[in-house]
Each structure stands twice: as C-alpha cells, then as structure tokens.
Amino acid sequence: MILTSEQQALLDGARGETMAKVVKTLVMYGEAFDAKRMVPVTSEYGHTVISFGLKVLGPVYDLYQKLLDEGLLSGQKFTADPRPLDRHVPSSLLDDIVFKKIMYTDQARYEKQLEALGLLGEDSYTCTSYLPQVGNVPKKGDILSWAESSAVVYANSVLGARCNRNSGIIELMGSVAGFVPEFGLLTDDGRRADWIIEVRCQTRPEAQLLGSAIGMKVMEDVPYVKGLDRWLGTDLNEDATTYLKDFGAACASNGAVGLYHIENLTPEAKEQGETLIRENAQVYVIDDAELQRVKDSYPVVWKNPDAEPALCFVGCPHMTLRQLTEWTKALTARLKEQGLRKVTVKTVFTASTGVIKSFEKTPYCKQLRRTGVVLSYICPLMYMNNPLCKKKAVITSSNKLRTYTSARYYTDAEILDIITTRREGKK
C-alpha cells in the first residue's frame, strides 16, 4: 500500500505507539482487500455499531481505554447503535438478573468511554442515525467509516455516500486516524451492479420480504432493481425512504448487501442508469410466488411452534416518524373494530430518542399509549440476545431480527392482526 508522508509518519510512531498500531491495523485491513491507498474520511459525523456493555467484550473496552489514555479521540463526533436496556420494556425478574448481572455489566463504563471518545450526545443511540430527527445525515460522495449494516447500506444506496461494511472496531479506528483504505464500495468499479433484479409482483411487495429474497440470492454483490419504482415513484420522498430503510436492512442481514441501486429512484441509478450494470450480470426474477416461497422457507425455532405469541417487536431498524404515525392509525382503527381497548400481545415499538421526542409532540402519541404498546429506544436484537428469550414466543415484522434471533417473522399486516386478535381475558 502506498501511504502519504503523513500517514507513513503515523505508522512509524510520530504520534506514539498506540496511534502507530491504529494505522497498522488499517493498513493490514486494506491490504487484505488489495487496497492501494488510504482516503480521507469526509463525513461530518461517524457512527459506531458497538453500543452495548457486554461482559465478554472486556478486551474491546480495554482497547478503547488505551486510546483514551493516549488522547486518541475520534476525529469526528459520532452516533452509536441503540442501547440494549430500557426498564419500560416487558421483562421478568429473571430477565433483569441476566441482563444486569450477567450480560450488560459494563454498560455504564462503556457509555462513559463513548462520551469521552466523542459521542454526539445523550440522544445519539440509534441504528437510524441518518434520519433528520437524529442529524447524522451523510452527503452524497462522503467517505464514511461506519459498520452498522443497515446504516451502511442506507448511506450508500439512498444517500449516495461511500462506505464499506466495516467491523465495529475498524470503524472507530478510521475515525481516529481520519482515513480508511480505498477498496470495494469506495471505488467506482466496486459500486457497479452484479445482478439485475426484475420485480414482477402484482402488488407492492413487502419491503422486508423483498429485501430478504434479494439478500439471500446476491449475498455480498450489488443488485440493480427494476420495477420497484412502479410503487415507490421516482422521488426519494418520506414514503420511499421509509420503505428503503427496511428493504435495505433485510438485504444486508439476510445477505451481506452493502449497496443496491433502484432504477429511476436512487441517486446513482438516476444519474447513470443501466451503465451501472456489469456485462453478463445475472438476472433474478421476483414475483409474488417467489416472495411466498422465501417466506415459507423461514425456519420456526420456537420450542413450541404452536405457542401463543408472548411478545412482539416492531422496529428493527428503528421506526421512522411516519411509521409510528401510520402504525398508530392502523392499530387504533383495528382495536375499535374488534371492540378492544388494548393490544392482546405485549408489544414494543422501537425508535430513536429523536424520533420519539418528535412523535410525542403529535396527537398520535397519546393514542398509541392508550393501545398498551410500549414505545422504546432500545435495540430489540440486543434484548433478544438474552438466552431466556429463546424460550419465549416472540414475533416481529423485522427480517433482521428474525435472522439474528429466535423471533418469528410476520408481515406488518399479519402482525397487526395477531396483536389485535381477541384472546380470553383480554378487553
């Protein structure tokens, strides 16, 4: 790898042994992917995927403390993935013991480290840092050093920024050093499409299902999606970006997609069109039958597949203000139709603190509270990492949560039906 004189000086120890190790790590990372040089990180803010004080990650926190002791802070203020705990989220005494005494014992220590390293603010814990209510919105062409898969794919695809799917520690090192190795999705060639996806559904496909199907087919490759603009239009309005948030998260978690192009909609697809597609690109046709096949292929890992749902999570990634509003409207109407006052399954909606604060200023917030739904800022995935959750019948409309935990996937419409179905003793 060819380094600038300043980068070489850092590698040689000009700012101490610890910074030299940071740069060496980035060099080794880049060389593993045949990177020829480093490029500056140009985004205003960074983001870290590690936001949980798990006891087993002690060496990570020791490493971060070494950076702090040497005065090696992030070159950018940054946001972080959601916290794992919220006392308002339903849990048992045994759950709380596992969470606080066994799993997240280093949470307070780690959050203090994040503040010292350069956390943007107390309300900066979310996987949807790119939403306007949070404020970490990269510009087109910005070079990022991020790792959160759902945020990386959104920034690359919807915003036109450039970021590889880094690891949690690598992302922070890129922000500390101020540069990252140039390869993959940071290059023009790396952003070309390897697959053509032809969407031939009769109705607007469920974002989570469509993303899942594409992710499992193309894996880490770049898809160019045709036909989706039929329902999303050609402008990145709130409806389109909300859909693409969930679509991209499913692509990234059910596969390893870091970038997708939507014909006539996403920035590079609108600018460059089919010139983005590689010669001999493979073709994958998706219709309603294919989406049903994909959905039917999901394994049910509950101990009792016929169990009644005990808990429901909606919001992985975190919900947008639009989603909270639309869900509240639909839920209120369905409960009234069913003659119910509250949901019949313990349900948690998750969103960033910034989005929640905006939602609290609307009349819909009181409506949602009356339904019995808990509104929280936590990471459902980190909550579900509690081994006790494997014994619970948890349902979700998130394909990401389904992939990484024992939660069972249902579409939004199915979730709405399940949590408003009258059960014995429920009013």
Side-chain angles (χ1 to χ4, degrees), residues 312-346:
C312 172
F313 276 113
V314 177
C316 181
H318 274 169
M319 300 171 75
T320 64
L321 183 60
R322 180 186 182 89
Q323 285 177 309
L324 284 176
T325 301
E326 294 304 314
W327 262 99
T328 301
K329 291 178 181 177
L331 195 54
T332 301
R334 182 62 63 86
L335 288 172
K336 183 178 180 180
E337 178 185 302
Q338 298 284 41
L340 293 167
R341 290 182 297 175
K342 295 182 181 295
V343 292
T344 56
V345 176
K346 293 179 181 178

Side-chain angles (χ1 to χ4, degrees), residues 37 56 74 100 131 146 158 163 187 199 230 256 269 280 286 291 309 342-343 425:
R37 63 171 184 166
V56 296
S74 172
K100 298 176 182 179
L131 293 179
W146 291 9
V158 180
C163 186
T187 69
V199 180
R230 171 183 170 190
N280 302 317
I286 299 179
L291 288 185
K342 295 182 181 295
V343 292

Side-chain angles (χ1 to χ4, degrees), residues 7 48 117 125 164 175 184 187 254 268 279 307 310 319 332 353 365 376 406:
Q7 292 164 355
T48 180
L117 284 166
Y125 291 93
N164 282 314
S175 290
T187 69
N254 286 206
E268 286 159 283
E279 293 183 11
M319 300 171 75
T332 301
T353 303
C365 186
S376 176
S406 58

Side-chain angles (χ1 to χ4, degrees), residues 327 330-332 334 411-421:
W327 262 99
L331 195 54
T332 301
R334 182 62 63 86
T411 65
D412 283 347
E414 290 169 334
I415 290 287
L416 181 61
D417 183 61
I418 292 169
I419 65 178
T420 58
T421 295

Side-chain angles (χ1 to χ4, degrees), residues 361-372:
K361 297 176 183 178
T362 74
Y364 298 108
C365 186
K366 290 182 179 179
Q367 288 184 31
L368 183 64
R369 286 175 178 160
R370 285 196 292 268
T371 69

Side-chain angles (χ1 to χ4, degrees), residues 104-366:
Y104 299 113
T105 56
D106 285 342
Q107 190 66 30
R109 172 197 176 193
Y110 182 52
E111 289 191 18
K112 288 182 179 179
Q113 286 184 322
L114 290 180
E115 292 172 13
L117 284 166
L119 185 71
L120 186 58
E122 175 66 19
D123 293 344
S124 298
Y125 291 93
T126 177
C127 52
T128 54
S129 61
Y130 46 78
L131 293 179
Q133 294 85 1
V134 183
N136 185 358
V137 188
K139 298 185 296 295
K140 186 175 182 295
D142 273 349
I143 303 297
L144 317 181
S145 184
W146 291 9
E148 162 55 46
S149 63
S150 66
V152 166
V153 73
Y154 187 95
N156 274 319
S157 309
V158 180
L159 302 179
R162 297 197 169 197
C163 186
N164 282 314
R165 284 175 56 114
N166 303 301
S167 73
I169 298 175
I170 287 290
E171 66 180 2
L172 182 61
M173 290 188 174
S175 290
V176 169
F179 50 80
V180 289
E182 184 184 43
F183 69 90
L185 298 177
L186 300 191
T187 69
D188 289 342
D189 186 67
R191 298 177 74 83
R192 297 188 68 195
D194 310 281
W195 285 81
I196 299 171
I197 311 298
E198 297 184 0
V199 180
R200 299 181 184 175
C201 300
Q202 296 303 306
T203 58
R204 172 164 148 160
E206 191 87 3
Q208 297 276 357
L209 270 179
L210 182 63
S212 171
I214 293 173
M216 289 193 287
K217 175 64 74 171
V218 311
M219 297 307 290
E220 76 279 6
D221 289 342
V222 177
Y224 187 97
V225 184
K226 295 184 176 184
L228 193 54
D229 56 323
R230 171 183 170 190
W231 294 282
L232 300 187
T234 58
D235 294 317
L236 285 171
N237 54 33
E238 190 177 6
D239 176 61
T241 56
T242 296
Y243 183 99
L244 293 178
K245 168 184 73 76
D246 291 337
F247 164 81
C251 284
S253 57
N254 286 206
V257 175
L259 164 68
Y260 57 80
H261 301 293
I262 309 295
E263 187 176 50
N264 299 322
L265 182 60
T266 52
E268 286 159 283
K270 292 188 77 168
E271 291 173 3
Q272 302 177 51
E274 294 190 8
T275 62
L276 283 168
I277 303 172
R278 297 186 190 277
E279 293 183 11
N280 302 317
Q282 299 183 73
V283 178
Y284 177 33
V285 176
I286 299 179
D287 56 16
D288 296 315
E290 175 62 2
L291 288 185
Q292 188 62 50
R293 182 197 67 79
V294 169
K295 184 171 182 284
D296 292 342
S297 73
Y298 298 154
V300 178
V301 294
W302 291 355
K303 186 175 181 180
N304 175 13
D306 299 320
E308 282 287 317
L311 182 63
C312 172
F313 276 113
V314 177
C316 181
H318 274 169
M319 300 171 75
T320 64
L321 183 60
R322 180 186 182 89
Q323 285 177 309
L324 284 176
T325 301
E326 294 304 314
W327 262 99
T328 301
K329 291 178 181 177
L331 195 54
T332 301
R334 182 62 63 86
L335 288 172
K336 183 178 180 180
E337 178 185 302
Q338 298 284 41
L340 293 167
R341 290 182 297 175
K342 295 182 181 295
V343 292
T344 56
V345 176
K346 293 179 181 178
T347 300
V348 181
F349 288 178
T350 65
S352 69
T353 303
V355 167
I356 291 174
K357 286 183 175 180
S358 294
F359 184 64
E360 288 174 340
K361 297 176 183 178
T362 74
Y364 298 108
C365 186
K366 290 182 179 179

